[in-house]
Amino acid sequence: MGEQVFNITELAQEFDITTRAIRFYEDQGLLEPERAGQRRIYNRRDRVRLMLILRGKRIGLSLQEIRELFALYDAAHDDAPQLQEFIRILERKELQLLTQMEDIKVVLTEIGQLRGQCEKALGKRANGHNQVKEL
Amino acid sequence: MGEQVFNITELAQEFDITTRAIRFYEDQGLLEPERAGQRRIYNRRDRVRLMLILRGKRIGLSLQEIRELFALYDAAHDDAPQLQEFIRILERKELQLLTQMEDIKVVLTEIGQLRGQCEKALGKRANGHNQVKEL
DNA sequence: GTTGACGTTGACGTAAACGTCAAGTTATCG
DNA sequence: CGATAACTTGACGTTTACGTCAACGTCAAC
């Protein structure tokens, strides 16, 4: 019943990234897996961290920002000034993300319009709904 | 009645970027302003392009991707295969953007929870004053 | 024992997106 | 006219996020 663990290639395959990337995240202080000798061993918590890293990247955070958030979150539980700082960062991020979502909505709308125009130009019927994968 | 035009520093200030960046976008084929002698003169269409570039960047497009979209959009009006290609690119982007929006929603939710925890830890009341924005 | 798969640590290379000079050009103001 | 500000084109530097070797360790299998 030992905790479930993973090695580096398993994680790399699961998340479709390279082992190099994972080691790089460790260099940057984003992961601290156990070692068995010199081999890295990742537990479920490490795996969650990796997921957070990748999601952070997808929404446009730099590795440094991700590290700062991790660090602040870790430190924040017992230090009031840190908590205040953490809240400020979160609020800034929240505003950025809301802007980003607005941008995305605009672009999605435009994409829809452009696709409509294209299909019209191709003589297709805009038959109500355009199935996204019919090519 | 002459068309409204701008110089490079005006645009830089308006969009809070450097002139270097604007020239760089031109190097990359994203802008082609007129010239008065060697000075660049931007019209409203150039300005719109610049806005599109910046919005593209905000949603995570590379300059190359932005250029491809511009090029395809320009060419797409009179070439059916190009139109098909354009549609494919748009659909791929659409899927990416939907994923990105999902990520953002998740993070916004987490941010809300974290802030709640922090404020609780600080003994504050969630007295409503900081509802940064509603979805 | 050695072969091969897998893992490790450096060290160096690379692409994107600019920043930062340097050195010259043009417009304007007094 | 000269000074100054604003603009120009290179050319090289910088940061981020890895990729790409090279050289070595290790462990099970043959």
Side-chain angles (χ1 to χ4, degrees), chain A residues 45-87:
Chain A
R45 186 166 179 282
D46 296 320
R47 187 168 162 280
V48 169
R49 280 235 166 181
L50 183 51
M51 290 197 303
L52 292 176
I53 293 169
L54 297 177
R55 192 165 62 204
K57 280 173 54 68
R58 283 201 301 273
I59 67 173
L61 300 184
S62 70
L63 296 184
Q64 168 158 341
E65 289 175 310
I66 294 170
R67 183 181 50 209
E68 284 170 15
L69 284 178
F70 281 173
L72 277 170
Y73 186 62
D74 289 348
H77 293 295
D78 46 325
D79 184 10
Q82 289 273 30
L83 277 176
Q84 296 280 15
E85 172 69 2
F86 193 39
I87 292 178

mmCIF file of all heavy atoms in Angstrom, chain A residues 45-87:
data_model
loop_
_atom_site.group_PDB
_atom_site.id
_atom_site.type_symbol
_atom_site.label_atom_id
_atom_site.label_comp_id
_atom_site.label_asym_id
_atom_site.label_seq_id
_atom_site.Cartn_x
_atom_site.Cartn_y
_atom_site.Cartn_z
ATOM 1 N N ARG A 45 1.900 14.131 -5.143
ATOM 2 C CA ARG A 45 1.969 15.577 -4.952
ATOM 3 C C ARG A 45 2.848 16.232 -6.030
ATOM 4 O O ARG A 45 2.519 17.290 -6.562
ATOM 5 C CB ARG A 45 2.540 15.872 -3.554
ATOM 6 C CG ARG A 45 2.530 17.339 -3.202
ATOM 7 C CD ARG A 45 2.770 17.573 -1.724
ATOM 8 N NE ARG A 45 2.783 19.002 -1.421
ATOM 9 C CZ ARG A 45 3.815 19.796 -1.669
ATOM 10 N NH1 ARG A 45 4.908 19.307 -2.224
ATOM 11 N NH2 ARG A 45 3.753 21.088 -1.381
ATOM 12 N N ASP A 46 3.964 15.584 -6.337
ATOM 13 C CA ASP A 46 4.818 16.102 -7.410
ATOM 14 C C ASP A 46 4.049 16.140 -8.730
ATOM 15 O O ASP A 46 4.159 17.095 -9.510
ATOM 16 C CB ASP A 46 6.054 15.217 -7.567
ATOM 17 C CG ASP A 46 6.936 15.238 -6.335
ATOM 18 O OD1 ASP A 46 7.099 16.317 -5.751
ATOM 19 O OD2 ASP A 46 7.446 14.166 -5.949
ATOM 20 N N ARG A 47 3.281 15.106 -8.937
ATOM 21 C CA ARG A 47 2.513 15.019 -10.181
ATOM 22 C C ARG A 47 1.496 16.159 -10.263
ATOM 23 O O ARG A 47 1.314 16.768 -11.322
ATOM 24 C CB ARG A 47 1.807 13.663 -10.233
ATOM 25 C CG ARG A 47 1.107 13.374 -11.525
ATOM 26 C CD ARG A 47 0.710 11.912 -11.592
ATOM 27 N NE ARG A 47 -0.313 11.699 -12.588
ATOM 28 C CZ ARG A 47 -1.599 11.940 -12.393
ATOM 29 N NH1 ARG A 47 -2.016 12.402 -11.229
ATOM 30 N NH2 ARG A 47 -2.455 11.723 -13.364
ATOM 31 N N VAL A 48 0.858 16.446 -9.142
ATOM 32 C CA VAL A 48 -0.082 17.568 -9.123
ATOM 33 C C VAL A 48 0.644 18.871 -9.418
ATOM 34 O O VAL A 48 0.180 19.706 -10.205
ATOM 35 C CB VAL A 48 -0.785 17.653 -7.757
ATOM 36 C CG1 VAL A 48 -1.560 18.953 -7.638
ATOM 37 C CG2 VAL A 48 -1.718 16.475 -7.576
ATOM 38 N N ARG A 49 1.800 19.036 -8.804
ATOM 39 C CA ARG A 49 2.581 20.242 -9.068
ATOM 40 C C ARG A 49 2.884 20.374 -10.560
ATOM 41 O O ARG A 49 2.779 21.455 -11.132
ATOM 42 C CB ARG A 49 3.901 20.183 -8.290
ATOM 43 C CG ARG A 49 3.773 20.570 -6.854
ATOM 44 C CD ARG A 49 4.754 21.686 -6.534
ATOM 45 N NE ARG A 49 4.426 22.295 -5.247
ATOM 46 C CZ ARG A 49 5.094 23.301 -4.720
ATOM 47 N NH1 ARG A 49 6.149 23.785 -5.340
ATOM 48 N NH2 ARG A 49 4.723 23.825 -3.586
ATOM 49 N N LEU A 50 3.267 19.273 -11.143
ATOM 50 C CA LEU A 50 3.580 19.311 -12.570
ATOM 51 C C LEU A 50 2.344 19.723 -13.375
ATOM 52 O O LEU A 50 2.427 20.532 -14.298
ATOM 53 C CB LEU A 50 4.093 17.946 -13.021
ATOM 54 C CG LEU A 50 4.530 17.847 -14.482
ATOM 55 C CD1 LEU A 50 5.504 18.957 -14.838
ATOM 56 C CD2 LEU A 50 5.143 16.484 -14.757
ATOM 57 N N MET A 51 1.212 19.196 -13.000
ATOM 58 C CA MET A 51 -0.013 19.595 -13.690
ATOM 59 C C MET A 51 -0.246 21.092 -13.543
ATOM 60 O O MET A 51 -0.617 21.784 -14.500
ATOM 61 C CB MET A 51 -1.210 18.821 -13.131
ATOM 62 C CG MET A 51 -1.197 17.342 -13.499
ATOM 63 S SD MET A 51 -2.815 16.555 -13.284
ATOM 64 C CE MET A 51 -3.151 16.874 -11.563
ATOM 65 N N LEU A 52 -0.021 21.593 -12.328
ATOM 66 C CA LEU A 52 -0.211 23.026 -12.097
ATOM 67 C C LEU A 52 0.754 23.848 -12.948
ATOM 68 O O LEU A 52 0.396 24.882 -13.498
ATOM 69 C CB LEU A 52 -0.021 23.338 -10.617
ATOM 70 C CG LEU A 52 -1.097 22.782 -9.687
ATOM 71 C CD1 LEU A 52 -0.757 23.064 -8.236
ATOM 72 C CD2 LEU A 52 -2.454 23.373 -10.028
ATOM 73 N N ILE A 53 1.992 23.372 -13.018
ATOM 74 C CA ILE A 53 2.982 24.074 -13.832
ATOM 75 C C ILE A 53 2.498 24.173 -15.273
ATOM 76 O O ILE A 53 2.507 25.250 -15.876
ATOM 77 C CB ILE A 53 4.334 23.333 -13.789
ATOM 78 C CG1 ILE A 53 4.936 23.393 -12.380
ATOM 79 C CG2 ILE A 53 5.294 23.921 -14.808
ATOM 80 C CD1 ILE A 53 6.124 22.466 -12.189
ATOM 81 N N LEU A 54 2.039 23.053 -15.790
ATOM 82 C CA LEU A 54 1.646 23.033 -17.203
ATOM 83 C C LEU A 54 0.404 23.888 -17.442
ATOM 84 O O LEU A 54 0.297 24.592 -18.445
ATOM 85 C CB LEU A 54 1.415 21.590 -17.654
ATOM 86 C CG LEU A 54 2.674 20.718 -17.577
ATOM 87 C CD1 LEU A 54 2.358 19.286 -17.958
ATOM 88 C CD2 LEU A 54 3.779 21.285 -18.448
ATOM 89 N N ARG A 55 -0.501 23.840 -16.495
ATOM 90 C CA ARG A 55 -1.681 24.688 -16.658
ATOM 91 C C ARG A 55 -1.291 26.160 -16.559
ATOM 92 O O ARG A 55 -1.775 26.996 -17.318
ATOM 93 C CB ARG A 55 -2.740 24.350 -15.623
ATOM 94 C CG ARG A 55 -4.061 25.006 -15.950
ATOM 95 C CD ARG A 55 -5.190 24.419 -15.160
ATOM 96 N NE ARG A 55 -4.972 24.631 -13.739
ATOM 97 C CZ ARG A 55 -5.507 23.878 -12.786
ATOM 98 N NH1 ARG A 55 -6.262 22.855 -13.118
ATOM 99 N NH2 ARG A 55 -5.271 24.140 -11.535
ATOM 100 N N GLY A 56 -0.402 26.447 -15.621
ATOM 101 C CA GLY A 56 0.083 27.822 -15.513
ATOM 102 C C GLY A 56 0.684 28.298 -16.824
ATOM 103 O O GLY A 56 0.409 29.404 -17.276
ATOM 104 N N LYS A 57 1.473 27.431 -17.426
ATOM 105 C CA LYS A 57 2.073 27.809 -18.707
ATOM 106 C C LYS A 57 1.002 28.045 -19.764
ATOM 107 O O LYS A 57 1.090 29.000 -20.547
ATOM 108 C CB LYS A 57 3.039 26.714 -19.159
ATOM 109 C CG LYS A 57 4.404 26.788 -18.474
ATOM 110 C CD LYS A 57 5.257 25.606 -18.829
ATOM 111 C CE LYS A 57 5.405 25.397 -20.306
ATOM 112 N NZ LYS A 57 6.196 26.471 -20.956
ATOM 113 N N ARG A 58 0.005 27.186 -19.781
ATOM 114 C CA ARG A 58 -1.033 27.334 -20.799
ATOM 115 C C ARG A 58 -1.763 28.662 -20.676
ATOM 116 O O ARG A 58 -2.210 29.219 -21.677
ATOM 117 C CB ARG A 58 -2.040 26.187 -20.706
ATOM 118 C CG ARG A 58 -1.529 24.894 -21.299
ATOM 119 C CD ARG A 58 -2.679 23.959 -21.650
ATOM 120 N NE ARG A 58 -3.497 23.636 -20.488
ATOM 121 C CZ ARG A 58 -3.246 22.640 -19.648
ATOM 122 N NH1 ARG A 58 -2.196 21.869 -19.814
ATOM 123 N NH2 ARG A 58 -4.043 22.409 -18.632
ATOM 124 N N ILE A 59 -1.893 29.163 -19.461
ATOM 125 C CA ILE A 59 -2.579 30.450 -19.333
ATOM 126 C C ILE A 59 -1.600 31.609 -19.374
ATOM 127 O O ILE A 59 -1.957 32.738 -19.092
ATOM 128 C CB ILE A 59 -3.419 30.537 -18.047
ATOM 129 C CG1 ILE A 59 -2.517 30.538 -16.821
ATOM 130 C CG2 ILE A 59 -4.413 29.399 -17.979
ATOM 131 C CD1 ILE A 59 -3.271 30.788 -15.547
ATOM 132 N N GLY A 60 -0.366 31.328 -19.754
ATOM 133 C CA GLY A 60 0.556 32.423 -20.031
ATOM 134 C C GLY A 60 1.424 32.857 -18.869
ATOM 135 O O GLY A 60 2.026 33.923 -18.917
ATOM 136 N N LEU A 61 1.504 32.061 -17.810
ATOM 137 C CA LEU A 61 2.420 32.408 -16.732
ATOM 138 C C LEU A 61 3.831 31.967 -17.083
ATOM 139 O O LEU A 61 4.025 30.939 -17.735
ATOM 140 C CB LEU A 61 1.988 31.725 -15.438
ATOM 141 C CG LEU A 61 0.601 32.054 -14.918
ATOM 142 C CD1 LEU A 61 0.358 31.364 -13.585
ATOM 143 C CD2 LEU A 61 0.423 33.545 -14.765
ATOM 144 N N SER A 62 4.811 32.740 -16.668
ATOM 145 C CA SER A 62 6.196 32.307 -16.819
ATOM 146 C C SER A 62 6.530 31.348 -15.687
ATOM 147 O O SER A 62 5.842 31.304 -14.664
ATOM 148 C CB SER A 62 7.142 33.504 -16.771
ATOM 149 O OG SER A 62 7.190 34.027 -15.462
ATOM 150 N N LEU A 63 7.588 30.602 -15.855
ATOM 151 C CA LEU A 63 7.996 29.678 -14.806
ATOM 152 C C LEU A 63 8.302 30.437 -13.527
ATOM 153 O O LEU A 63 8.025 29.964 -12.424
ATOM 154 C CB LEU A 63 9.215 28.882 -15.265
ATOM 155 C CG LEU A 63 8.966 27.963 -16.458
ATOM 156 C CD1 LEU A 63 10.205 27.143 -16.775
ATOM 157 C CD2 LEU A 63 7.782 27.054 -16.208
ATOM 158 N N GLN A 64 8.856 31.610 -13.676
ATOM 159 C CA GLN A 64 9.159 32.405 -12.489
ATOM 160 C C GLN A 64 7.883 32.797 -11.746
ATOM 161 O O GLN A 64 7.824 32.710 -10.509
ATOM 162 C CB GLN A 64 9.914 33.668 -12.911
ATOM 163 C CG GLN A 64 10.009 34.687 -11.795
ATOM 164 C CD GLN A 64 11.153 35.647 -11.998
ATOM 165 O OE1 GLN A 64 12.086 35.376 -12.751
ATOM 166 N NE2 GLN A 64 11.096 36.780 -11.329
ATOM 167 N N GLU A 65 6.878 33.197 -12.489
ATOM 168 C CA GLU A 65 5.618 33.548 -11.836
ATOM 169 C C GLU A 65 5.022 32.337 -11.132
ATOM 170 O O GLU A 65 4.504 32.434 -10.011
ATOM 171 C CB GLU A 65 4.627 34.084 -12.876
ATOM 172 C CG GLU A 65 4.993 35.458 -13.391
ATOM 173 C CD GLU A 65 4.056 35.905 -14.503
ATOM 174 O OE1 GLU A 65 3.834 35.142 -15.467
ATOM 175 O OE2 GLU A 65 3.562 37.023 -14.426
ATOM 176 N N ILE A 66 5.106 31.202 -11.788
ATOM 177 C CA ILE A 66 4.575 29.981 -11.186
ATOM 178 C C ILE A 66 5.327 29.673 -9.892
ATOM 179 O O ILE A 66 4.733 29.345 -8.868
ATOM 180 C CB ILE A 66 4.692 28.817 -12.178
ATOM 181 C CG1 ILE A 66 3.782 29.073 -13.385
ATOM 182 C CG2 ILE A 66 4.334 27.500 -11.512
ATOM 183 C CD1 ILE A 66 4.005 28.116 -14.536
ATOM 184 N N ARG A 67 6.634 29.825 -9.960
ATOM 185 C CA ARG A 67 7.423 29.577 -8.746
ATOM 186 C C ARG A 67 7.045 30.535 -7.626
ATOM 187 O O ARG A 67 6.908 30.146 -6.468
ATOM 188 C CB ARG A 67 8.913 29.706 -9.061
ATOM 189 C CG ARG A 67 9.791 29.402 -7.870
ATOM 190 C CD ARG A 67 11.241 29.576 -8.223
ATOM 191 N NE ARG A 67 11.446 30.866 -8.862
ATOM 192 C CZ ARG A 67 12.395 31.115 -9.757
ATOM 193 N NH1 ARG A 67 13.225 30.162 -10.108
ATOM 194 N NH2 ARG A 67 12.524 32.301 -10.286
ATOM 195 N N GLU A 68 6.858 31.793 -7.991
ATOM 196 C CA GLU A 68 6.475 32.777 -6.973
ATOM 197 C C GLU A 68 5.142 32.400 -6.329
ATOM 198 O O GLU A 68 4.981 32.492 -5.110
ATOM 199 C CB GLU A 68 6.381 34.164 -7.608
ATOM 200 C CG GLU A 68 7.742 34.797 -7.877
ATOM 201 C CD GLU A 68 7.616 36.049 -8.731
ATOM 202 O OE1 GLU A 68 6.485 36.561 -8.865
ATOM 203 O OE2 GLU A 68 8.636 36.505 -9.257
ATOM 204 N N LEU A 69 4.215 31.977 -7.168
ATOM 205 C CA LEU A 69 2.921 31.590 -6.612
ATOM 206 C C LEU A 69 3.064 30.389 -5.685
ATOM 207 O O LEU A 69 2.494 30.363 -4.593
ATOM 208 C CB LEU A 69 1.947 31.283 -7.752
ATOM 209 C CG LEU A 69 1.388 32.520 -8.448
ATOM 210 C CD1 LEU A 69 0.479 32.131 -9.601
ATOM 211 C CD2 LEU A 69 0.615 33.379 -7.461
ATOM 212 N N PHE A 70 3.837 29.410 -6.096
ATOM 213 C CA PHE A 70 4.078 28.248 -5.236
ATOM 214 C C PHE A 70 4.687 28.694 -3.908
ATOM 215 O O PHE A 70 4.232 28.328 -2.827
ATOM 216 C CB PHE A 70 5.040 27.272 -5.920
ATOM 217 C CG PHE A 70 4.400 26.406 -6.964
ATOM 218 C CD1 PHE A 70 5.172 25.570 -7.759
ATOM 219 C CD2 PHE A 70 3.026 26.399 -7.149
ATOM 220 C CE1 PHE A 70 4.582 24.753 -8.718
ATOM 221 C CE2 PHE A 70 2.427 25.596 -8.110
ATOM 222 C CZ PHE A 70 3.212 24.772 -8.892
ATOM 223 N N ALA A 71 5.734 29.494 -4.021
ATOM 224 C CA ALA A 71 6.452 29.909 -2.820
ATOM 225 C C ALA A 71 5.528 30.691 -1.888
ATOM 226 O O ALA A 71 5.488 30.437 -0.682
ATOM 227 C CB ALA A 71 7.660 30.758 -3.209
ATOM 228 N N LEU A 72 4.798 31.622 -2.459
ATOM 229 C CA LEU A 72 3.912 32.421 -1.632
ATOM 230 C C LEU A 72 2.836 31.549 -0.999
ATOM 231 O O LEU A 72 2.496 31.709 0.170
ATOM 232 C CB LEU A 72 3.260 33.512 -2.478
ATOM 233 C CG LEU A 72 4.125 34.745 -2.668
ATOM 234 C CD1 LEU A 72 3.529 35.663 -3.701
ATOM 235 C CD2 LEU A 72 4.296 35.463 -1.346
ATOM 236 N N TYR A 73 2.320 30.636 -1.776
ATOM 237 C CA TYR A 73 1.283 29.775 -1.231
ATOM 238 C C TYR A 73 1.825 28.944 -0.076
ATOM 239 O O TYR A 73 1.167 28.761 0.944
ATOM 240 C CB TYR A 73 0.721 28.872 -2.324
ATOM 241 C CG TYR A 73 -0.441 28.064 -1.855
ATOM 242 C CD1 TYR A 73 -1.604 28.684 -1.418
ATOM 243 C CD2 TYR A 73 -0.373 26.680 -1.804
ATOM 244 C CE1 TYR A 73 -2.663 27.956 -0.964
ATOM 245 C CE2 TYR A 73 -1.430 25.931 -1.349
ATOM 246 C CZ TYR A 73 -2.584 26.576 -0.921
ATOM 247 O OH TYR A 73 -3.637 25.849 -0.460
ATOM 248 N N ASP A 74 3.050 28.454 -0.250
ATOM 249 C CA ASP A 74 3.664 27.673 0.823
ATOM 250 C C ASP A 74 3.884 28.516 2.067
ATOM 251 O O ASP A 74 3.638 28.087 3.185
ATOM 252 C CB ASP A 74 5.009 27.098 0.353
ATOM 253 C CG ASP A 74 4.803 25.989 -0.670
ATOM 254 O OD1 ASP A 74 3.648 25.541 -0.826
ATOM 255 O OD2 ASP A 74 5.780 25.600 -1.317
ATOM 256 N N ALA A 75 4.376 29.734 1.859
ATOM 257 C CA ALA A 75 4.726 30.570 2.999
ATOM 258 C C ALA A 75 3.501 31.243 3.613
ATOM 259 O O ALA A 75 3.524 31.652 4.765
ATOM 260 C CB ALA A 75 5.727 31.642 2.570
ATOM 261 N N ALA A 76 2.447 31.317 2.835
ATOM 262 C CA ALA A 76 1.356 32.206 3.201
ATOM 263 C C ALA A 76 0.569 31.741 4.419
ATOM 264 O O ALA A 76 -0.124 32.532 5.032
ATOM 265 C CB ALA A 76 0.412 32.384 2.013
ATOM 266 N N HIS A 77 0.680 30.488 4.764
ATOM 267 C CA HIS A 77 -0.225 29.973 5.782
ATOM 268 C C HIS A 77 0.071 30.473 7.181
ATOM 269 O O HIS A 77 -0.751 30.344 8.070
ATOM 270 C CB HIS A 77 -0.199 28.446 5.755
ATOM 271 C CG HIS A 77 -0.779 27.910 4.500
ATOM 272 N ND1 HIS A 77 -2.100 28.086 4.169
ATOM 273 C CD2 HIS A 77 -0.220 27.255 3.457
ATOM 274 C CE1 HIS A 77 -2.332 27.527 2.997
ATOM 275 N NE2 HIS A 77 -1.212 27.025 2.535
ATOM 276 N N ASP A 78 1.252 31.017 7.371
ATOM 277 C CA ASP A 78 1.568 31.422 8.740
ATOM 278 C C ASP A 78 2.200 32.798 8.805
ATOM 279 O O ASP A 78 2.870 33.126 9.750
ATOM 280 C CB ASP A 78 2.510 30.392 9.358
ATOM 281 C CG ASP A 78 3.629 30.036 8.418
ATOM 282 O OD1 ASP A 78 3.379 30.003 7.209
ATOM 283 O OD2 ASP A 78 4.748 29.784 8.872
ATOM 284 N N ASP A 79 1.960 33.602 7.797
ATOM 285 C CA ASP A 79 2.575 34.919 7.803
ATOM 286 C C ASP A 79 1.606 35.931 7.190
ATOM 287 O O ASP A 79 1.332 35.911 6.000
ATOM 288 C CB ASP A 79 3.880 34.883 6.998
ATOM 289 C CG ASP A 79 4.602 36.215 7.059
ATOM 290 O OD1 ASP A 79 4.188 37.069 7.865
ATOM 291 O OD2 ASP A 79 5.562 36.389 6.304
ATOM 292 N N ALA A 80 1.107 36.814 8.016
ATOM 293 C CA ALA A 80 0.066 37.730 7.556
ATOM 294 C C ALA A 80 0.511 38.653 6.425
ATOM 295 O O ALA A 80 -0.212 38.798 5.437
ATOM 296 C CB ALA A 80 -0.444 38.551 8.746
ATOM 297 N N PRO A 81 1.677 39.300 6.520
ATOM 298 C CA PRO A 81 2.086 40.154 5.409
ATOM 299 C C PRO A 81 2.198 39.378 4.101
ATOM 300 O O PRO A 81 1.804 39.854 3.038
ATOM 301 C CB PRO A 81 3.461 40.673 5.839
ATOM 302 C CG PRO A 81 3.504 40.501 7.311
ATOM 303 C CD PRO A 81 2.636 39.356 7.635
ATOM 304 N N GLN A 82 2.718 38.183 4.218
ATOM 305 C CA GLN A 82 2.799 37.336 3.040
ATOM 306 C C GLN A 82 1.412 37.059 2.475
ATOM 307 O O GLN A 82 1.221 37.017 1.257
ATOM 308 C CB GLN A 82 3.464 36.006 3.401
ATOM 309 C CG GLN A 82 4.934 36.119 3.689
ATOM 310 C CD GLN A 82 5.755 36.016 2.419
ATOM 311 O OE1 GLN A 82 5.305 36.397 1.355
ATOM 312 N NE2 GLN A 82 6.965 35.514 2.548
ATOM 313 N N LEU A 83 0.469 36.866 3.367
ATOM 314 C CA LEU A 83 -0.888 36.623 2.904
ATOM 315 C C LEU A 83 -1.417 37.810 2.121
ATOM 316 O O LEU A 83 -2.015 37.663 1.057
ATOM 317 C CB LEU A 83 -1.802 36.341 4.100
ATOM 318 C CG LEU A 83 -1.788 34.912 4.615
ATOM 319 C CD1 LEU A 83 -2.659 34.790 5.860
ATOM 320 C CD2 LEU A 83 -2.290 33.961 3.543
ATOM 321 N N GLN A 84 -1.171 39.000 2.659
ATOM 322 C CA GLN A 84 -1.621 40.208 1.965
ATOM 323 C C GLN A 84 -1.004 40.276 0.577
ATOM 324 O O GLN A 84 -1.675 40.556 -0.414
ATOM 325 C CB GLN A 84 -1.208 41.451 2.767
ATOM 326 C CG GLN A 84 -1.869 41.551 4.117
ATOM 327 C CD GLN A 84 -3.292 42.095 4.038
ATOM 328 O OE1 GLN A 84 -3.890 42.139 2.973
ATOM 329 N NE2 GLN A 84 -3.830 42.495 5.185
ATOM 330 N N GLU A 85 0.305 40.023 0.541
ATOM 331 C CA GLU A 85 1.011 40.047 -0.735
ATOM 332 C C GLU A 85 0.423 39.016 -1.684
ATOM 333 O O GLU A 85 0.204 39.284 -2.875
ATOM 334 C CB GLU A 85 2.498 39.750 -0.483
ATOM 335 C CG GLU A 85 3.327 39.554 -1.729
ATOM 336 C CD GLU A 85 3.504 40.832 -2.517
ATOM 337 O OE1 GLU A 85 3.012 41.878 -2.056
ATOM 338 O OE2 GLU A 85 4.103 40.768 -3.605
ATOM 339 N N PHE A 86 0.159 37.852 -1.131
ATOM 340 C CA PHE A 86 -0.404 36.780 -1.937
ATOM 341 C C PHE A 86 -1.737 37.224 -2.545
ATOM 342 O O PHE A 86 -2.002 37.042 -3.742
ATOM 343 C CB PHE A 86 -0.595 35.556 -1.049
ATOM 344 C CG PHE A 86 -0.868 34.296 -1.798
ATOM 345 C CD1 PHE A 86 -0.222 34.013 -2.998
ATOM 346 C CD2 PHE A 86 -1.757 33.371 -1.292
ATOM 347 C CE1 PHE A 86 -0.466 32.839 -3.678
ATOM 348 C CE2 PHE A 86 -2.011 32.189 -1.974
ATOM 349 C CZ PHE A 86 -1.368 31.929 -3.168
ATOM 350 N N ILE A 87 -2.559 37.833 -1.704
ATOM 351 C CA ILE A 87 -3.858 38.291 -2.200
ATOM 352 C C ILE A 87 -3.683 39.306 -3.318
ATOM 353 O O ILE A 87 -4.372 39.272 -4.330
ATOM 354 C CB ILE A 87 -4.671 38.895 -1.036
ATOM 355 C CG1 ILE A 87 -5.071 37.798 -0.042
ATOM 356 C CG2 ILE A 87 -5.906 39.611 -1.551
ATOM 357 C CD1 ILE A 87 -5.825 38.311 1.168
#
